[in-house]
Amino acid sequence: MSETVAPLLSLSHISLSFKGVKAVTDIGFDVAEGEICALIGPNGAGKSSLLNVINGVYQPQQGEIRFAGRARRAMQPHEAAVAGIARTFQNIALFKGMSVLDNILTGRNLASRSSWLEQAFRVGRAVADEEAQRAVAEEVIAFLRLQAWRHTPVGQLPYGLQKRVELGRALAARPRLLLLDEPMAGMNREEKREMSQFIREVNQVFGTTIVLIEHDIGVVMELSDHVVVLDYGRKIGDGEPEAVRALPEVIAAYLGQQRH
Amino acid sequence: MFYQESGQFSTRYRQDGRALRLWQQRAALWALLLLAFGLLPFIGNDYWFSAILIPFLVLSLAGLGLNLLTGYAGQLSLGSAAFMAVGAFASYKLQFLLPGLPLLLSFVAGGVVAAAVGVVFGLPSLRIKGFYLLVSTLAAQFFVEWLLTKFAWFSNGNESGVITAPPLLVAGHDFGSPAGRYLLTLSVVLPLFVLAANLVRSSLGRNWMAVRDMDTAAAVIGIPILRTKLLAFAISSFILGVAGSLWAFTYLGTVEPHGFDLSRSFQVLFIIILGGMGSILGNFLGAAFIVLLPIVLSILSGTLLSGVLPAGQLENLQKIIFGVLIILFLIKEPDGLARLWQGWRARARLWPLRF
Amino acid sequence: MSFFMEVLLGGLLAGVMYSLVAIGFVLIYKASGVFNFAQGSMVLFAALTFVSLLERGLPFWLSFVISLLSMLLLALLLERLVLRHLVNRPPITLFMATLGLSYVVEGVAQALWGAQVHGLDLGIEDTPLELGGLMLSRFDLFAAGSAGLLVLLLSLLFNKTRIGLSLRAVADDQLAALAVGIRLQRMWVLVWAVAGLVGLVAGLLWGARLGVQFSLSLIVLKALPVLIIGGFTSIGGAIVGGLIVGASEKLAEVYLGPLLSGGIENWFPYVLALLFLLLRPAGLFGERAIERV
Ligand SMILES: Nc1ncnc2c1ncn2[C@@H]1O[C@H](COP(=O)(O)OP(=O)(O)OP(=O)(O)O)[C@@H](O)[C@H]1O
Ligand SMILES: [Mg+2]
């Protein structure tokens, strides 16, 4: 990736607080098109808050978000989705009452071209449109090897599979930028390996840019091209994985992090 | 990628998207339709039509209306009867103001007016959620009742507020007989059910359920929350409005605000709790239950307890049984009769293999 | 001006009675997270039991005690038969269960005691009383006084006793309360019984006004806008909300009613509550939290 190309995502001077509690303080960094960027840091460092700022779930008090060439004071969730940002959540946020297939199909909602009247009468574009969305969803299901659970209500799936379905819902939108909040939390070694594999494939096959939060340093080193370290809402490291790992501040911040 | 059974997609998705996936289901449906249209009108008696079938159909439709809003889109409402009242009065008033307006068109127009009113009372749903939304729908309930009783214009200057429904003429045919009213009701109710069944399987239906299950995540994947909620209010109120017209025109034979009081709203809510929230079939099951239970109870008490139970006590008993059933269902079968029915069917299908 | 003041004060006093119903509701919501639609039926049940006993010749205090015990029994049964089986269900399910409950309680109350209207005389004449040039209803003042006394007792119970401490812990954080060994189920019974007591007092005051009859259960519909304005979790909010609804309802009835040909008291509080909500979505005292994801 040459230096002259503008980054896909660029945050500058982002500050966010909740009733006086500072979650994020004056943070800025760039994410280049096509890279995997890892956000790391101890619990409560402000990692999730930052993802929420990027796709408009939280509105920062200060700063600017530039995505795909367009600068904004703050994102709105809908705006972010339209611009091509998709994400998963730290605490799984699936639609519990719906099947795996339907959850993944909701990821296609912005691509749907038929009106609700056409859908009610099953006329015009409605049927072909539904089939087109279904085909994309089916590709995602095959990619994530979820065929066996297509019609299972997601509430009945084990935790690891739910995480995979959530990734599927995000992938169905064919995003430009994928935000993953602890996609491997609570998984066993085998599940983690599988999930890393999926993430790498998404990045390589579809060229999707990825920002992910992860506590497992081993996984981070292996997977990411770029690491940003947060501590108490501030940025204390930013660069290539190996270089960042050697920074004294990062080592200091991570000494208390053995729990994870 | 090689798990895909390539080449079968377009036909399979279409079949997969169908409301009824098995040919047995479709055959049963055709048989039911034949029975409902071809046989019942000839063998049913007036009591069956007027006291059972017509209220059953209309209440199923009302249940459907509320179920789209509450069961699918997750917006709690205690104002169903208000939207029914708006539909009934609007189609009555429109028929009066535009003589020659076809009956069915006036039902649709009444539904459209109800939808508009529904949107107005649904607007607060953007800022307020959950139980707080009860206030908006209860405001609708009380405000509409008040409006229709206080202002004689709505009932054409009729002080009592009760007006006789006009004759039921469709394309020159009089559907005024009990069998005719039944057929008319059936022909309005069924198509609406088909449309709703299509809708809940479409992308709008999925958006509704997404908003119901987790609205933050829904917003994040780009579902327009306001539009989705307001469409739920509009479509739900449209259906309730048509149900209101049917209730007044084909069941009661009069148009009056008291047919649409708070207890009617509760009744519609109970239909979807008992029948199953988020189920299309459940509306029929719940409505059948609500219509049949009082009848069965009064027959039972007539034969078993004749003379023992005073008339007033029967009503109390009914109330207690309803209440207990509601609680029991919520505890044991929160997905309602529809789920029970699925369970029985699944067992019946496997039946010979069970041993 | 003095006419305005009279209307306002009359409204405020009536509002006290709304607050009373709302308080029972807040107690339950805080302790068990249940949006209790059956609060109105509980008021009806308590009042109906009380007058029926009184009419059968029991002395006032004995009727009161028996009614109170019947509310305790109701709370016990409720916890055993309903609440226990619905833990961890979505709030909407619990709410609907209380709808069913209200049917059961009303049905039982009327099956036991009949459906006719009972007069109730608490021995307070409803003659106007002149206070500083304003005519006020003696009964309303008495009602406000009793309500005030009850609220005082409740705050003593909550702030000065061990039970109160446990209750506050439960209201704050159910899991934490469980962890320190508080028995949740006993707390539920207690709080439903206390709500029953509040219901009994409310039922007597309302019943003395309107007669003890079925329509008493409908006062839950008056309490709802009160709750919305005051917030579901604040007793102070319930009191202030009641006063606001009472006062504005009376004022609207007197000044706005004639313009709209009357009868607006059914919907006015709701529209008021709706306006409040649009301005302050988390109620008068609540602060809006940003949802965590
Ligand atoms: N919606 C909210 N309301 C109030 N405070 C919040 C909210 N979201 C986050 N915070 C606070 O902001 C700070 C940063 O939280 P955040 O969830 O971003 O941390 P994190 O780095 O993701 O931690 P973890 O590794 O535990 O997920 C914390 O102090 C948290 O309590
Ligand atoms: Mg986090």
Side-chain angles (χ1 to χ4, degrees):
Chain A
M1 198 122 310
S2 79
E3 288 301 311
T4 50
V5 177
L8 177 65
L9 171 74
S10 165
L11 302 182
S12 47
H13 304 295
I14 300 284
S15 292
L16 168 74
S17 61
F18 299 100
K19 297 183 202 122
V21 179
K22 285 187 177 166
V24 171
T25 312
D26 196 32
I27 283 187
F29 63 91
D30 291 348
V31 178
E33 179 109 49
E35 77 174 8
I36 296 183
C37 169
L39 272 181
I40 63 172
N43 291 116
K47 305 178 297 293
S48 298
S49 300
L50 205 53
L51 281 204
N52 284 330
V53 165
I54 296 174
N55 82 325
V57 179
Y58 295 163
Q59 269 80 43
Q61 280 83 17
Q62 269 164 41
E64 189 189 76
I65 305 154
R66 180 179 285 275
F67 180 72
R70 171 137 181 237
R72 295 177 173 88
R73 262 287 291 117
M75 274 282 186
Q76 292 298 324
H78 185 76
E79 238 181 4
V82 172
I85 304 179
R87 74 171 284 180
T88 65
F89 296 85
Q90 183 168 356
N91 302 306
I92 300 173
L94 284 171
F95 306 125
K96 292 239 162 44
M98 300 163 73
S99 68
V100 169
L101 175 64
D102 279 346
N103 265 279
I104 291 176
L105 276 170
T106 59
R108 297 295 302 158
N109 80 88
L110 283 173
S112 175
R113 290 282 158 270
S114 53
S115 74
W116 62 272
L117 268 174
E118 290 170 310
Q119 290 163 9
F121 288 92
R122 286 179 82 76
V123 294
R125 293 168 295 185
V127 177
D129 188 37
E130 181 74 9
E131 263 170 46
Q133 310 316 336
R134 177 70 193 268
V136 176
E138 212 54 56
E139 264 172 43
V140 171
I141 286 176
F143 173 69
L144 295 174
R145 298 202 281 279
L146 285 165
Q147 292 94 333
W149 300 281
R150 199 182 268 121
H151 293 295
T152 313
V154 292
Q156 292 171 14
L157 292 179
Y159 179 83
L161 278 178
Q162 290 196 18
K163 285 243 156 198
R164 226 196 279 175
V165 177
E166 209 191 5
L167 176 63
R169 183 180 67 190
L171 288 179
R174 300 224 160 113
R176 256 184 107 174
L177 174 65
L178 184 59
L179 310 174
L180 305 173
D181 196 344
E182 306 201 11
M184 285 163 261
M187 289 186 168
N188 62 32
R189 189 178 287 275
E190 178 57 24
E191 286 171 324
K192 276 190 183 181
R193 204 191 47 74
E194 221 175 14
M195 184 55 93
S196 305
Q197 192 60 36
F198 288 136
I199 293 172
R200 199 190 324 256
E201 250 179 86
V202 169
N203 177 250
Q204 283 168 0
V205 177
F206 305 109
T208 311
T209 310
I210 294 173
V211 175
L212 65 87
I213 297 175
E214 183 48 55
H215 281 293
D216 186 328
I217 287 294
V219 171
V220 169
M221 291 295 145
E222 199 182 292
L223 210 54
S224 51
D225 307 310
H226 171 191
V227 177
V228 174
V229 194
L230 306 186
D231 192 19
Y232 291 111
R234 293 179 183 278
K235 187 171 91 171
I236 59 169
D238 183 352
E240 307 227 326
E242 290 307 325
V244 167
R245 181 147 78 163
L247 289 174
E249 299 94 318
V250 175
I251 295 170
Y254 259 76
L255 280 179
Q257 231 351 72
Q258 297 310 327
R259 292 170 276 137
H260 274 270
Chain B
M1 295 260 169
F2 26 71
Y3 288 95
Q4 289 181 358
E5 300 158 63
S6 51
Q8 295 185 28
F9 286 124
S10 57
T11 57
R12 238 191 53 214
Y13 297 159
R14 191 171 299 200
Q15 287 164 355
D16 227 24
R18 276 191 192 177
L20 303 171
R21 234 177 277 158
L22 304 174
W23 69 262
Q24 288 94 333
Q25 289 175 322
R26 290 194 292 278
L29 184 69
W30 284 114
L32 263 179
L33 282 181
L34 204 67
L35 178 75
F37 280 103
L39 205 54
L40 272 182
F42 300 103
I43 61 165
N45 61 32
D46 290 2
Y47 174 77
W48 270 84
F49 292 130
S50 306
I52 298 177
L53 289 170
I54 296 176
F56 157 68
L57 287 169
V58 182
L59 287 175
S60 304
L61 187 66
L64 175 72
L66 181 64
N67 218 329
L68 293 185
L69 183 66
T70 303
Y72 284 92
Q75 310 297 305
L76 198 52
S77 165
L78 282 181
S80 311
F83 304 122
M84 293 174 74
V86 171
F89 273 85
S91 52
Y92 171 76
K93 206 57 202 179
L94 283 169
Q95 281 199 15
F96 178 79
L97 294 174
L98 309 169
L101 181 73
L103 184 70
L104 292 179
L105 208 57
S106 79
F107 287 175
V108 173
V112 170
V113 175
V117 175
V119 167
V120 170
F121 285 97
L123 273 174
S125 71
L126 222 226
R127 291 207 65 184
I128 57 185
K129 288 184 191 174
F131 296 123
Y132 286 92
L133 196 58
L134 282 181
V135 172
S136 185
T137 57
L138 278 171
Q141 178 67 46
F142 294 129
F143 186 75
V144 166
E145 248 184 284
W146 172 80
L147 204 66
L148 295 178
T149 29
K150 277 295 166 189
F151 297 93
W153 181 82
F154 292 104
S155 43
N156 285 337
N158 202 315
E159 273 308 316
S160 65
V162 182
I163 31 186
T164 311
L168 301 171
L169 291 174
V170 179
H173 290 280
D174 185 2
F175 283 82
S177 72
R181 286 184 289 124
Y182 160 74
L183 269 178
L184 179 65
T185 311
L186 189 67
S187 328
V188 174
V189 169
L190 284 188
L192 285 172
F193 261 90
V194 172
L195 293 184
N198 285 343
L199 214 45
V200 299
R201 278 176 184 75
S202 73
S203 93
L204 179 61
R206 286 191 297 268
N207 289 359
W208 281 343
M209 292 186 272
V211 168
R212 169 196 72 189
D213 285 351
M214 180 119 206
D215 57 355
T216 322
V220 162
I221 59 175
I223 293 173
I225 306 288
L226 174 63
R227 195 185 123 84
T228 305
K229 283 185 181 173
L230 289 186
L231 268 175
F233 271 97
I235 295 171
S236 155
S237 304
F238 174 85
I239 292 177
L240 281 164
V242 175
S245 296
L246 289 173
W247 190 254
F249 285 58
T250 68
Y251 176 56
L252 295 178
T254 57
V255 189
E256 51 178 320
H258 300 298
F260 304 107
D261 58 5
L262 185 63
S263 62
R264 180 83 52 227
S265 289
F266 278 128
Q267 192 181 33
V268 179
L269 180 64
F270 289 161
I271 288 174
I272 71 167
I273 298 178
L274 294 173
M277 300 224 278
S279 153
I280 296 288
L281 174 72
N283 301 306
F284 285 120
L285 301 177
F289 197 90
I290 288 249
V291 170
L292 290 178
L293 183 72
I295 297 174
V296 170
L297 272 184
S298 72
I299 292 173
L300 278 184
S301 69
T303 52
L304 296 180
L305 307 164
S306 61
V308 184
L309 210 59
Q313 290 296 38
L314 187 62
E315 207 174 301
N316 291 328
L317 186 67
Q318 216 179 83
K319 246 183 148 165
I320 296 173
I321 291 181
F322 257 127
V324 168
L325 279 172
I326 296 278
I327 296 175
L328 212 63
F329 262 88
L330 288 169
I331 291 175
K332 294 281 178 207
E333 196 51 86
D335 292 324
L337 290 164
R339 171 56 58 84
L340 282 180
W341 167 256
Q342 272 173 8
W344 290 327
R345 222 185 46 198
R347 241 173 295 158
R349 215 184 276 157
L350 293 174
W351 174 68
L353 301 174
R354 258 180 70 207
F355 302 101
Chain C
M1 196 57 211
S2 92
F3 175 67
F4 173 82
M5 283 306 286
E6 267 169 28
V7 175
L8 180 69
L9 281 173
L12 286 173
L13 291 172
V16 171
M17 312 245 275
Y18 296 158
S19 308
L20 218 44
V21 185
I23 286 173
F25 189 103
V26 167
L27 287 173
I28 289 177
Y29 189 83
K30 268 176 89 113
S32 53
V34 177
F35 187 101
N36 180 25
F37 199 84
Q39 186 68 26
S41 324
M42 286 166 61
V43 170
L44 172 72
F45 184 83
L48 209 52
T49 307
F50 178 84
V51 271
S52 305
L53 293 174
L54 208 58
E55 280 170 5
R56 281 165 181 69
L58 266 64
F60 185 96
W61 65 270
L62 192 59
S63 311
F64 192 88
V65 170
I66 296 179
S67 309
L68 207 53
L69 287 177
S70 72
M71 296 312 284
L72 181 65
L73 182 69
L74 181 70
L76 268 170
L77 287 176
L78 195 72
E79 193 280 318
R80 271 291 138 78
L81 301 177
V82 184
L83 293 179
R84 186 172 285 199
H85 305 284
L86 287 172
V87 280
N88 295 331
R89 292 291 188 79
I92 189 170
T93 306
L94 289 163
F95 162 71
M96 290 184 183
T98 67
L99 281 182
L101 181 69
S102 72
Y103 267 53
V104 176
V105 174
E106 280 166 28
V108 171
Q110 291 188 313
L112 279 179
W113 308 119
Q116 67 274 39
V117 181
H118 303 259
L120 174 61
D121 186 6
L122 295 178
I124 293 105
E125 327 150 50
D126 199 1
T127 49
L129 190 73
E130 206 185 308
L131 265 184
L134 298 172
M135 301 298 272
L136 293 176
S137 149
R138 197 186 293 263
F139 184 85
D140 279 347
L141 285 173
F142 169 75
S146 332
L149 193 67
L150 186 67
V151 171
L152 199 70
L153 280 176
L154 285 179
S155 71
L156 283 179
L157 171 75
F158 275 111
N159 295 319
K160 296 280 185 261
T161 64
R162 276 188 69 111
I163 295 176
L165 189 66
S166 313
L167 270 177
R168 270 183 296 153
V170 171
D172 259 7
D173 187 341
Q174 291 207 352
L175 284 180
L178 269 178
V180 297
I182 291 171
R183 273 187 280 173
L184 220 48
Q185 283 156 348
R186 257 201 2 221
M187 289 297 129
W188 286 345
V189 173
L190 185 76
V191 90
W192 279 78
V194 173
L197 164 70
V198 177
L200 176 58
V201 174
L204 296 191
L205 293 175
W206 279 95
R209 257 278 142 94
L210 310 169
V212 176
Q213 55 177 322
F214 177 71
S215 66
L216 265 189
S217 66
L218 296 179
I219 59 178
V220 69
L221 295 172
K222 284 283 189 238
L224 211 61
V226 171
L227 287 162
I228 299 287
I229 290 175
F232 291 164
T233 54
S234 153
I235 291 193
I239 295 171
V240 176
L243 296 179
I244 291 177
V245 168
S248 53
E249 185 184 73
K250 273 275 155 31
L251 289 173
E253 208 176 293
V254 170
Y255 293 101
L256 205 62
L259 301 177
L260 295 170
S261 71
I264 65 175
E265 68 277 357
N266 266 345
W267 58 264
F268 181 78
Y270 282 91
V271 174
L272 187 75
L274 209 54
L275 289 178
F276 256 89
L277 268 184
L278 293 177
L279 297 176
R280 283 200 65 93
L284 208 50
F285 297 105
E287 248 192 280
R288 186 169 206 167
I290 297 169
E291 203 181 337
R292 260 169 215 256
V293 285

